[in-house]
Structure formats: C-alpha cells, structure tokens
Amino acid sequence: MPLHLKMGSFLANMKNLLKGKVLLANVLPVFTAYWLALYFSGARFMDHLGLFLLTMAGSTLVISGALMLNNWYESDLDMKMDRTRNRPTVTGAFPLRAVLWGGIATTIIGLSIMMFTTFEATIYSFLGWFFYVVLYTFWTKRRYTLNTIIGSISGAFTPLIGWAVITPVDHIVPIALFYLLLIWQVPHTFAIAIKRLEDYTRAGVPMLPVVSGVDLTIRQIIIYVIALLPFPFILADPMGWGFSTFALALTILWIILAAMGPKAGNKKVWAQMNLRYSIIYLFLILFSMVLITFFTG
C-alpha cells in the first residue's frame, strides 16, 4: 500500500479511536473557559501563550487517554453495534494491548503536562478522567442507567480545567459552565440512545430507552432541556444581557423541538434532530462567549 494511503488509513483509525467529535466537544470548553478566565482576570493572552499551549496539550492528552481506555474496555460492546464496528479496536487495526498501554501512557503524559500549569487544574483533569474511565466505563456503563449522569459529570469538569489554569474556580462563570455541560450532555446522550436503540439493545447496554422505553426517555429529555433555562439568567450580569438573550432564545428553540417528541411520528428522526441541535446549541453558546469577550476585551 502506498505511503499516503497508509497514512490516511492510520489517521482514520486514530479519529475513530479518539472519537473525533467527542474529543473536540471536550476540548472546546477547556479553551472557552481558559479564554474567559483571561478576560475576567484582566490578563493578556500573549502573556500566557506558553501556559495556553501546555493547557491545550495536557488536557487533550488526558481526554484522549480516557477515550482510548474506554475503547479498549468496550471493544466487545463495540463489536455488536453498527456505529462502532469500524473502530480499530474492533477491526484489529490496533491491537487491544497497544490501545491499553497507549491509553495509560497518554493519560500519564497529559497529567504530567497539566502539573506544569496549576495544581487545581490538574485535579480537575484527573477527576474528569476518573469519572469517565473508572466510574463510567468500568463501573456503571454496563450496569445502570445512571451511566449517563456519571458520564455527564466527567464532561462537566472540562471548563473547570481551562479556568483553573488562570485563576481559582471561585467565579460564577466557570460554575455556570459546569452546570451547562452537566445538564446539556444528558438530553444529548438520550437522543443518541433513542437513535441507536437497536445497537444498545443488541449490546445489552442499559441505556434509559432500553430499560424504560422511548416515551419515558423523551419526557426526560424535555425535563433536562427545560433545566437549561436558568443558565442564560445566571450569566446575565458577567456576560451581559445580549448574550443572555441569545442563549435564552437558543434554549427556548430546543425546548420547542424537545416538546415535539411525544407526538413525533418517527421518534428516530426526531432524536436525530435533537442530536444535531444539541451540538449546534453548545457550539453557538461557547463560540458566542468567546466572541463577545474578544470584542469587548
């Protein structure tokens, strides 16, 4: 096989191993919170360029290590699911032993790099990894519907990492971002579970729609999306009413979309719409926070 094809195949396998979109969705809040911490502490980005590079490299490696260990441990489940059958841990492109040791090494290197930032940021990095790998992947994923909440807690640590590199997490902004990520991930994950119901059923993963049915899961999605309503108001003072109005409008649109679920003719199409909107929602919220502070800084 030509070198460029081998390289392309390797990169494709790495993307599947690291769940490219999941990795990006976790790294983006780290960057956003880092940027906001600079803004609210009055610091200049270029004065902390080295710290920024350490933060992004360290956090990305820790998150990557967690995702690799997740893929190593769940290779038997991934084999039974259509959406995960192309992962290199299933196809054999990457030996399981290599993925295991790669995940361990990547985690250690990432945490070591984070230690050159602040102790608080390193602790949040470890806690996010611990919740995802030990409490989510090893313990709850195969046993309880609670696995969705545990996974959400893991992802919610990401903005705390970025903020704590610059200044301690004693400000309403990182706390609000923690709340946003904690709540957002639940309807996002439930939408995936409805869309991939047959996959999770075949693999025996106790996701909520598998255990309690699609209708109850839809009601839970509505409740959790409504629970996002306080977020725009919490940040009205530090971020301004322009941002809060924008965030509120996005949240109301999601509530309307979620409320269509009980009467939707095709629940999977509805779930796909919610899944796409959830990604757009998070990106627009985080991007707008960076954009507003960039132009007002």
Side-chain angles (χ1 to χ4, degrees):
M1 181 184 293
L3 181 60
H4 70 281
L5 292 180
K6 288 183 179 179
M7 182 59 68
S9 177
F10 174 79
L11 292 176
N13 281 321
M14 284 301 299
K15 179 183 177 182
N16 284 326
L17 180 67
L18 299 178
K19 307 178 184 180
K21 293 179 181 178
V22 177
L23 179 62
L24 179 61
N26 280 275
V27 172
L28 183 58
V30 177
F31 167 75
T32 301
Y34 179 91
W35 177 270
L36 293 172
L38 289 174
Y39 174 80
F40 284 101
S41 64
R44 294 177 67 250
F45 180 80
M46 292 308 297
D47 290 341
H48 298 277
L49 181 59
L51 195 58
F52 170 74
L53 295 176
L54 287 172
T55 302
M56 298 312 297
S59 61
T60 299
L61 287 171
V62 173
I63 295 167
S64 297
L67 293 171
M68 291 170 71
L69 290 171
N70 173 268
N71 277 343
W72 164 75
Y73 190 73
E74 295 184 354
S75 60
D76 60 324
L77 299 181
D78 291 341
M79 193 179 302
K80 302 174 184 178
M81 301 173 68
D82 290 338
R83 77 184 184 94
T84 56
R85 283 178 178 169
N86 290 326
R87 287 180 180 167
T89 46
V90 176
T91 63
F94 293 164
L96 285 177
R97 186 177 181 84
V99 173
L100 169 62
W101 286 108
I104 293 173
T106 302
T107 298
I108 293 173
I109 294 170
L111 288 173
S112 298
I113 292 174
M114 289 305 301
M115 290 179 68
F116 287 95
T117 60
T118 66
F119 180 71
E120 186 177 359
T122 306
I123 291 297
Y124 294 139
S125 299
F126 172 75
L127 287 174
W129 179 92
F130 181 79
F131 267 82
Y132 188 76
V133 175
V134 178
L135 300 185
Y136 172 72
T137 301
F138 293 169
W139 179 39
T140 62
K141 178 69 175 285
R142 299 171 186 251
R143 294 177 176 86
Y144 313 109
T145 57
L146 181 68
N147 68 57
T148 300
I149 305 300
I150 298 297
S152 298
I153 295 173
S154 170
F157 278 108
T158 53
L160 303 188
I161 297 169
W163 186 281
V165 169
I166 299 299
T167 185
V169 179
D170 56 3
H171 194 282
I172 190 62
V173 170
I175 295 172
L177 286 174
F178 180 91
Y179 177 82
L180 170 70
L181 269 295
L182 176 66
I183 301 300
W184 171 86
Q185 288 174 91
V186 179
H188 171 80
T189 304
F190 283 166
I192 295 174
I194 293 174
K195 179 186 175 184
R196 298 292 184 177
L197 180 59
E198 288 78 9
D199 268 0
Y200 285 113
T201 302
R202 186 165 52 251
V205 181
M207 301 300 289
L208 188 61
V210 175
V211 175
S212 302
V214 171
D215 290 340
L216 185 142
T217 305
I218 289 174
R219 292 196 294 272
Q220 288 293 306
I221 287 176
I222 295 171
I223 291 170
Y224 275 97
V225 174
I226 291 174
L228 287 169
L229 276 174
F231 175 76
F233 297 100
I234 292 172
L235 292 182
D237 181 46
M239 291 301 302
W241 278 103
F243 166 79
S244 293
T245 302
F246 177 67
L248 180 61
L250 289 176
T251 305
I252 291 174
L253 285 174
W254 196 359
I255 292 173
I256 293 171
L257 179 59
M260 295 167 60
K263 295 184 179 180
N266 189 322
K267 307 298 186 186
K268 289 188 178 182
V269 171
W270 171 85
Q272 175 65 12
M273 292 171 61
N274 274 267
L275 176 59
R276 287 179 178 174
Y277 188 83
S278 70
I279 297 170
I280 294 170
Y281 177 90
L282 182 63
F283 175 81
L284 289 178
I285 290 288
L286 298 179
F287 181 73
S288 63
M289 295 180 81
V290 172
L291 202 62
I292 287 171
T293 52
F294 177 80
F295 284 108
T296 58

